[in-house]
Amino acid sequence: MRREPNFEVMRTVAMFFIVVYHCLTHGVGDGYGFSLSNPTTLSNLVFSDFLLVFSSIAVNLYVMVSGYFLVDLNFKMSRMVRTWTYACFYSIAITLLFMSMQLVPFSIVALGKSFFPISTDAYWFVTQYIGLLILSPFLAILVKQLSYKQYLWLLIGGAFICLALIPDIPLAKRFHVAHGNSVWSFAYLFLVAGFIKHYLKRIPMAWLMTAALLVTLLTMGCEIFFGYQNDSVHLFWFNYNGLPFVLSVIVFIIIRQMQMAEFGIWKILVRLAPYTFGVYLIHDHLMMRGWLWDTVSLTSVCDQWTYPFIVVGLCCMIFLVAAFIESIRKKLFTFLRIDNLISKVDRWSFYS
């Protein structure tokens, strides 16, 4: 599959903001109240709220990039097997590492569960993404068979099932996809990305940037409003299929239309893209997550002027260290010819 710089950059940026999202939700959480009377804390609140808006769209962007390409690709069983293999590798390796270092007590049950990260939902994203890969060839067939008008009505109807811009309207909560992190929400993002690829013409960038700014300000305002408690503001985040869905579609179109030169920072972001999935598997493993955010106490610096630098620096460090570990894993799998072995399963694909 030919890699396009715009989408490689989008994958890298999306994964970085997933790290930021976890930094804010697990490292700070909704228990800390940003004081409105302290200028430094107030500025840190605005900074956190701004990051939270863009980190809330990261999962949607990551899924839409996959849908954008998978909608026109032949199904390969190896994609599912490879995703499962990588998740198993890190699940087992991190569990063994934490037990050997006595960071968690040894448990046969926990070790056994590490061999089944998909069925145990150890990585919720991977579980739902595997589901999307299973559905992808049928979604692709559906896209090819639909006329423009039918496709448009499918997206409109799907919006009532999968989106929840305000509570219960549309009806996502009633269909058990209220958070936007179900396989059905992923399938909807797949279809939206396919529609953008096949039918959406170029939109003036000025319109897109204006729309992105308005939705960003609206989301920030709503997050501060809903997070307000007793002269302080606690971090509040919307579900992926709420306002973040609207912003993610706008940002996706913006990056798709951008002209990116393959040098400088853009080249670095493109080169980091193949390691992004490993970044997720490493830093958001349940044991790693618990140890990492218990070790790093961000609430102690939320009222200090260094807070923005600490958040950005910490997220960059987590991303780069995890990417480096993933590069070693890739070399190991290449040496052991594991990826070549995985590709052979396509010979027996029942989708063929």
Side-chain angles (χ1 to χ4, degrees):
M1 179 173 65
R2 184 174 66 88
R3 299 293 185 182
E4 298 184 24
N6 291 40
F7 295 97
E8 296 297 275
V9 169
M10 198 185 310
R11 279 206 298 161
T12 303
V13 172
M15 185 52 66
F16 176 76
F17 273 102
I18 287 174
V19 175
V20 172
Y21 185 83
H22 293 150
C23 179
L24 295 174
T25 56
H26 301 313
V28 178
D30 57 3
Y32 179 85
F34 289 82
S35 174
L36 298 179
S37 59
N38 185 325
T40 302
T41 308
L42 179 59
S43 66
N44 289 342
L45 165 65
V46 175
F47 172 77
S48 299
D49 198 36
F50 179 78
L51 288 185
L52 196 56
V53 169
F54 281 94
S55 60
S56 296
I57 72 174
V59 168
N60 286 351
L61 290 177
Y62 207 86
V63 175
M64 289 175 71
V65 170
S66 297
Y68 189 87
F69 290 100
L70 289 176
V71 72
D72 289 324
L73 292 179
N74 294 326
F75 178 83
K76 289 186 177 181
M77 182 69 74
S78 57
R79 292 193 188 101
M80 283 195 299
V81 176
R82 188 171 288 110
T83 302
W84 176 85
T85 302
Y86 295 172
C88 278
F89 173 82
Y90 280 116
S91 178
I92 297 167
I94 294 174
T95 299
L96 288 173
L97 175 65
F98 271 67
M99 288 182 178
S100 65
M101 297 179 65
Q102 298 183 341
L103 294 173
V104 297
F106 179 80
S107 168
I108 290 294
V109 174
L111 183 59
K113 285 184 176 180
S114 70
F115 285 82
F116 304 96
I118 309 303
S119 57
T120 59
D121 211 21
Y123 297 105
W124 75 263
F125 177 86
V126 179
T127 302
Q128 305 308 316
Y129 189 73
I130 289 286
L132 177 64
L133 291 178
I134 293 172
L135 294 175
S136 63
F138 306 107
L139 293 173
I141 292 172
L142 178 64
V143 167
K144 290 181 176 66
Q145 296 300 318
L146 294 175
S147 65
Y148 170 81
K149 184 179 291 187
Q150 290 171 329
Y151 202 162
L152 187 60
W153 278 111
L154 173 63
L155 294 182
I156 294 172
F160 282 89
I161 297 174
C162 297
L163 302 184
L165 300 181
I166 59 177
D168 286 341
I169 302 177
L171 304 173
K173 186 176 180 180
R174 301 303 168 205
F175 292 104
H176 304 289
V177 291
H179 301 293
N181 55 2
S182 71
V183 66
W184 307 115
S185 296
F186 282 16
Y188 186 71
L189 290 168
F190 179 105
L191 293 172
V192 170
F195 184 86
I196 291 172
K197 183 175 186 178
H198 285 194
Y199 294 109
L200 193 68
K201 305 299 181 183
R202 187 174 182 86
I203 300 175
M205 288 294 280
W207 294 6
L208 291 170
M209 298 300 289
T210 301
L213 176 61
L214 292 175
V215 176
T216 298
L217 293 175
L218 174 62
T219 308
M220 289 181 66
C222 290
E223 287 178 347
I224 292 174
F225 175 79
F226 288 116
Y228 179 80
Q229 297 179 27
N230 301 323
D231 295 324
S232 64
V233 176
H234 298 252
L235 291 182
F236 177 91
W237 41 88
F238 285 98
N239 296 331
Y240 301 140
N241 59 344
L243 281 173
F245 167 80
V246 179
L247 185 58
S248 60
V249 173
I250 297 171
V251 172
F252 184 89
I253 298 171
I254 289 174
I255 298 179
R256 177 192 181 224
Q257 294 184 175
M258 287 177 64
Q259 298 295 324
M260 293 186 181
E262 293 189 55
F263 60 83
I265 185 63
W266 303 120
K267 185 176 181 179
I268 294 173
L269 293 176
V270 169
R271 295 189 65 177
L272 284 171
Y275 308 114
T276 53
F277 188 56
V279 171
Y280 167 73
L281 294 175
I282 294 168
H283 92 277
D284 205 41
H285 182 276
L286 293 176
M287 292 182 183
M288 182 68 75
R289 180 200 301 173
W291 171 81
L292 178 61
W293 304 118
D294 285 343
T295 303
V296 180
S297 178
L298 288 176
T299 54
S300 63
V301 297
C302 285
D303 60 350
Q304 299 178 17
W305 68 269
T306 55
Y307 171 77
F309 301 99
I310 292 173
V311 169
V312 173
L314 177 63
C315 291
C316 287
M317 184 175 67
I318 292 171
F319 186 96
L320 293 175
V321 169
F324 176 72
I325 295 172
E326 170 65 358
S327 70
I328 296 174
R329 197 277 309 159
K330 279 183 171 291
K331 289 183 174 63
L332 175 64
F333 274 39
T334 299
F335 176 76
L336 297 176
R337 303 181 66 83
I338 292 177
D339 285 321
N340 288 341
L341 183 63
I342 291 173
S343 65
K344 293 181 180 179
V345 303
D346 291 325
R347 300 174 185 175
W348 303 288
S349 173
F350 59 88
Y351 284 95
S352 298

